[in-house]
Amino acid sequence: MHITIFGSGYVGLVTGTCLADVGNHVLCVDVDEKKVARLQQGKVPIHEPGLESLLKTNFAAGRLQFTTDIAKAVAHGEIQCIAVGTPPDEDGSADLQYVRQVADSIGKYMTDYKLVMDKSTVPVGTADKVRDTVQAALDARGVTCDFDVVSNPEFLKEGAAVDDFMKPDRIVVGTDKPHATALMRELYAPFNRNRDRLLIMDIRSAELTKYAANAILATKISFMNEMAQIAEQVGADIEQVRLGMGSDPRIGFHFIYPGCGYGGSCMPKDVPALIRTAQQVGIDAQILPAVEAVNQRQKQVLFQKIQKHFQGNLQNRRFALWGLAFKPNTDDMREAPSRKLMEALWAQGALVQAYDPEALSEAQRIYGERPDLQLCDTPETTLKDADALVIVTEWKVFRSPDFELIKACLKQPVIFDGRNLYEPQRMRQQGFTYYAIGRGEKL
């Protein structure tokens, strides 16, 4: 099949590369000339396990190409996939300007049938707006062309996106047109062999499914973080509570890990967008604003523990920080808890020595050169002359460190663990003052 992907960001690159890998001819179009030039050299702008080698293989085979030529892109694919960003607007709603621009471009240049596929995360009703925008562009040209619009939301986990695309839990397709359904079945047939994962539904249900899925995951995280705060005050260990809860198959163990708040490109954007959708249709949502509020509060917890331990005196104190990305196996720092923490520390005159296996370049891009931030090449380098170690991201490399070395390098043996990587009793036996999330110690 010939497929055009608008947007060469996270979703577009993974989608285009994986579709090319099963034999399709994929053309990715992006307005960023420098990004396209780098992609043509096999340089992937994001860290995603397995993506770079897959991209290079399919680019070399001629199945995956990149361009800035929109007219060429529209002519290429019978399927036109919209995978551009939908950043939050000032009121929390999703900004659809880039989606509309793509729809307008398709309408301006199409000369035959196109299946327009919404893969961007968009509010309910966006497919109607895309359809109207394409039709308006056709009308302005005085041209008649058949086209269909389908909703096909992505459910890719950063850090496991290639596997998620290749072996999907489900493939949600919103359409009521038989021809569009047939094309989507053909498109996803290589990923749908051992059982039927395709869920065909109406367009608005498909659009809402994406937001609802992210919102329930965010709800589970915020619920556990609120339970962790209660556990601290009553002297309970939230990790033991988690095991007791997760053993119930109705609850399960997924997404019930307490921590220092969720980040990334999805939940922090999609929960407010869903709140805004509810407001627009007259629904006074109660749970969603609470999920958002708990997450914002949770991102302050590590700083509050640090401030209390040092009795508010953080001026010129030095902190070793392990983890900058919002989660392991990515370099994404969008809405990352590390950013809230570092900015709060800097506001109090503290210095940060940070390490992350993948996100150092991203941190450099965001913050540039500044005297209160040192980006280190190894976890051990961050420890030199630091007043305490702070763990923000649960990378595997942090799970079993040399505690004697940590103790020897720190000015004082203090660890603030935002991901509950270690056992409190063992840490105290080794001589550490150890603060975790919801493990019995009061703030």
Side-chain angles (χ1 to χ4, degrees), residues 23-265:
N24 296 299
H25 294 276
V26 178
L27 181 60
C28 294
V29 58
D30 201 287
V31 295
D32 187 335
E33 293 183 3
K34 290 181 179 179
K35 180 191 284 188
V36 169
R38 289 196 300 270
L39 287 167
Q40 288 171 338
Q41 297 167 6
K43 297 179 180 177
V44 179
I46 58 173
H47 173 73
E48 184 60 43
L51 179 61
E52 185 169 335
S53 61
L54 213 59
L55 183 145
K56 287 180 177 178
T57 298
N58 286 282
F59 181 75
R63 291 188 298 269
L64 179 62
Q65 297 178 304
F66 303 96
T67 187
T68 58
D69 187 335
I70 293 175
K72 176 183 176 182
V74 173
H76 171 82
E78 180 178 16
I79 296 177
Q80 304 275 307
C81 173
I82 302 177
V84 295
T86 53
D89 222 331
E90 290 182 6
D91 62 357
S93 60
D95 184 349
L96 297 178
Q97 63 171 313
Y98 304 116
V99 173
R100 290 179 186 271
Q101 286 172 13
V102 172
D104 182 64
S105 296
I106 293 170
K108 279 182 179 177
Y109 293 110
M110 63 186 287
T111 57
D112 53 8
Y113 174 83
K114 302 294 180 186
L115 177 63
V116 182
M117 184 170 81
D118 275 342
K119 192 161 273 293
S120 299
T121 300
V122 293
V124 176
T126 299
D128 294 338
K129 295 175 181 177
V130 168
R131 185 182 295 108
D132 292 346
T133 303
V134 173
Q135 189 61 55
L138 287 170
D139 292 345
R141 293 168 55 202
V143 172
T144 300
C145 273
D146 288 337
F147 69 96
D148 291 312
V149 179
V150 302
S151 173
N152 177 221
E154 53 85 15
F155 298 96
L156 306 176
K157 298 187 295 291
E158 290 195 43
V162 172
D163 282 345
D164 283 348
F165 198 99
M166 295 295 198
K167 302 171 185 176
D169 298 318
R170 76 286 208 197
I171 303 164
V172 173
V173 174
T175 180
D176 56 0
K177 300 295 180 64
H179 181 59
T181 300
L183 281 176
M184 293 300 285
R185 286 195 180 279
E186 183 182 352
L187 177 68
Y188 281 111
F191 313 97
N192 196 36
R193 290 174 65 84
N194 65 347
R195 66 176 175 85
D196 190 4
R197 295 176 171 86
L198 216 64
L199 302 176
I200 306 295
M201 58 185 73
D202 66 273
I203 290 178
R204 290 187 170 232
S205 295
E207 291 171 330
L208 183 56
T209 296
K210 168 65 175 179
Y211 278 107
N214 277 349
I216 190 64
L217 296 176
T219 301
K220 292 181 75 172
I221 295 170
S222 281
F223 177 84
M224 285 305 292
N225 283 333
E226 189 147 276
M227 290 301 103
Q229 293 203 356
I230 294 172
E232 283 189 6
Q233 298 305 314
V234 301
D237 184 345
I238 193 62
E239 290 299 321
Q240 295 183 37
V241 174
R242 178 180 66 81
L243 294 174
M245 293 171 57
S247 300
D248 185 333
R250 296 171 301 173
I251 299 171
F253 288 102
H254 292 298
F255 280 78
I256 61 168
Y257 289 87
C260 49
Y262 60 75
S265 62

Side-chain angles (χ1 to χ4, degrees), residues 273-412:
L274 191 51
I275 293 170
R276 182 61 180 159
T277 295
Q279 292 171 343
Q280 290 171 340
V281 295
I283 300 296
D284 181 18
Q286 302 289 309
I287 294 174
L288 295 172
V291 169
E292 174 71 7
V294 168
N295 191 55
Q296 292 303 321
R297 183 177 68 189
Q298 198 69 14
K299 288 183 178 181
Q300 303 295 327
V301 165
L302 279 177
F303 176 72
Q304 291 166 0
K305 290 175 182 288
I306 292 168
Q307 195 171 43
K308 185 172 188 299
H309 175 85
F310 290 102
Q311 299 178 334
N313 179 21
L314 301 182
Q315 184 73 33
N316 293 323
R317 291 198 181 274
R318 196 176 297 271
F319 293 94
L321 193 147
W322 285 3
L324 292 165
F326 84 94
K327 64 182 282 190
N329 298 321
T330 181
D331 61 352
D332 195 342
M333 287 180 62
R334 284 175 287 185
E335 301 291 334
S338 64
R339 297 177 64 170
K340 290 280 189 183
L341 174 61
M342 290 193 295
E343 289 161 14
L345 290 170
W346 291 332
Q348 296 297 312
L351 311 173
V352 174
Q353 298 172 170
Y355 170 77
D356 188 283
E358 295 295 341
L360 294 177
S361 296
E362 181 66 1
Q364 180 76 47
R365 185 191 69 80
I366 294 169
Y367 293 113
E369 297 289 340
R370 50 184 301 159
D372 48 10
L373 174 62
Q374 180 185 348
L375 298 174
C376 302
D377 293 331
T378 67
E380 293 76 21
T381 312
T382 67
L383 303 170
K384 185 179 179 182
D385 297 325
D387 290 277
L389 167 62
V390 189
I391 299 167
V392 186
T393 313
E394 64 275 29
W395 286 93
K396 285 183 179 179
V397 71
F398 303 149
R399 291 185 181 180
S400 186
D402 185 338
F403 290 112
E404 290 304 317
L405 177 65
I406 293 174
K407 193 190 299 185
C409 292
L410 293 175
K411 287 183 180 178
Q412 45 195 314

